[in-house]
Amino acid sequence: MTDITTENYADVNARAIDGWNAQGWEWGTPLSHEEYLDARQGEWRMLLTPTKPVPPAWYPSDLSGLRVLGLACGGGQQMPIFAALGARCTVFDYTPSQLESERMVAEREGYEIEIVRGDMSKPLPFADGEFDLIFHPVSNCYIEEVKPLWRECHRILKPGGRLLAGLDNGFGYAFDDAEERVVCSLPFDPLKNPDHMAALDLVEDGIQFSHTLEEQIRGQLQAGFQLVDCYEDTYGEGRLHDLNIPTFWATYAVKAG
């Protein structure tokens, strides 16, 4: 594909992630049967960012019967845990192999899940106030505009509903692959900056975008959310990680009741 636009870059990303999964991508490796059984017994953890588990206080004390949306959350990692804890789960993702992993785990463990293929840069295909909780691991670095997504998340949550989000803070996009030199300006936007597009390998990287604190966190506030808690995280490897330089945020926000 030579002419990449706002209308088709999601397809580039889906093909890239399918390729990563074919090579055993960490974030596309489904939960094992043993891990699912552990979750049923109360032994579990989930990640919004690469290394730090989400604090238990961020979850409702009882997930039984709650409607949970895994937003760009395919791969069979988090939704099986929510299902093991009694939630009624929907997963929304655009990458076929990520959704296939969700289907495989659900069939293996015998629970029901609604699987929806869709592009989160577009209006979400869900009713107002449909969900109690949205779980959104780091993934909106693959869409150009995030503020419309926060407005959609606010719309589809019930009053008092929770948005748990992992966010790339954009810092890493300024560096070369070795994370030793600053080589790119910010914001990183390949659709607007030819130098940024030239820096990407479409097969290995897909199309990615940096987003600011104003887009990521202020954008949630502008959409009507109240921020409850947050933390920072690193890649988990590489020079920036070794220097303890955070490259991710996680946020816990609620829709006012």
Side-chain angles (χ1 to χ4, degrees):
M1 181 182 295
T2 57
D3 296 323
I4 300 173
T5 69
T6 297
E7 296 305 316
N8 62 27
Y9 73 82
D11 294 309
V12 176
N13 286 336
R15 285 194 293 272
I17 296 169
D18 278 339
W20 302 344
N21 281 335
Q23 298 174 25
W25 187 41
E26 177 184 2
W27 306 112
T29 302
L31 198 76
S32 70
H33 175 61
E34 291 72 23
E35 290 169 321
Y36 178 80
L37 293 180
D38 286 344
R40 292 286 301 269
Q41 297 300 316
E43 297 294 328
W44 56 275
R45 68 172 199 158
M46 286 188 273
L47 297 171
L48 286 165
T49 58
T51 75
K52 290 185 180 180
V54 178
W58 286 24
Y59 303 102
S61 58
D62 184 1
L63 283 155
S64 299
L66 296 187
R67 290 292 311 276
V68 172
L69 173 65
L71 177 59
C73 188
Q77 297 186 342
Q78 294 90 19
M79 291 300 99
I81 293 176
F82 280 114
L85 299 173
R88 298 161 56 203
C89 295
T90 298
V91 63
F92 181 85
D93 204 295
Y94 195 64
T95 302
S97 59
Q98 291 288 82
L99 295 176
E100 183 55 37
S101 291
E102 294 289 345
R103 185 175 293 107
M104 180 275 291
V105 177
E107 290 177 354
R108 186 189 71 201
E109 306 301 345
Y111 62 81
E112 294 185 0
I113 184 171
E114 181 183 17
I115 296 174
V116 181
R117 185 173 190 237
D119 179 355
M120 66 176 167
S121 71
K122 308 293 193 298
L124 300 176
F126 305 111
D128 295 357
E130 187 168 344
F131 295 99
D132 298 284
L133 185 148
I134 296 173
F135 196 85
H136 178 50
V138 174
S139 54
N140 65 26
C141 51
Y142 300 107
I143 63 173
E144 188 175 16
E145 301 289 342
V146 297
K147 287 186 177 181
L149 178 65
W150 300 140
R151 292 193 292 269
E152 281 293 280
C153 288
H154 190 269
R155 178 184 65 81
I156 66 175
L157 275 172
K158 297 176 182 177
R162 307 183 185 203
L163 170 65
L164 309 186
L167 312 170
D168 189 310
N169 70 15
F171 190 73
Y173 287 97
F175 287 84
D176 62 5
D177 290 342
E179 300 177 355
E180 294 179 345
R181 296 186 303 118
V182 174
V183 295
C184 288
S185 61
L186 295 179
F188 188 87
D189 187 338
L191 298 187
K192 293 185 173 67
N193 188 320
D195 291 336
H196 294 168
M197 182 66 78
L200 292 172
D201 180 320
L202 299 186
V203 174
E204 294 296 326
D205 304 317
I207 302 293
Q208 301 187 35
F209 307 88
S210 72
H211 298 295
T212 63
L213 181 146
E214 291 185 0
E215 293 173 277
Q216 298 275 44
I217 297 178
R218 189 183 184 206
Q220 293 182 31
L221 302 177
Q222 290 174 329
F225 284 103
Q226 296 177 349
L227 185 64
V228 177
D229 199 3
C230 61
Y231 59 86
E232 294 181 310
D233 200 2
T234 70
Y235 280 120
E237 60 182 6
R239 189 163 186 268
L240 294 178
H241 167 75
D242 292 342
L243 295 172
N244 198 33
I245 295 174
T247 44
F248 298 94
W249 302 309
T251 56
Y252 162 24
V254 299
K255 177 176 179 176

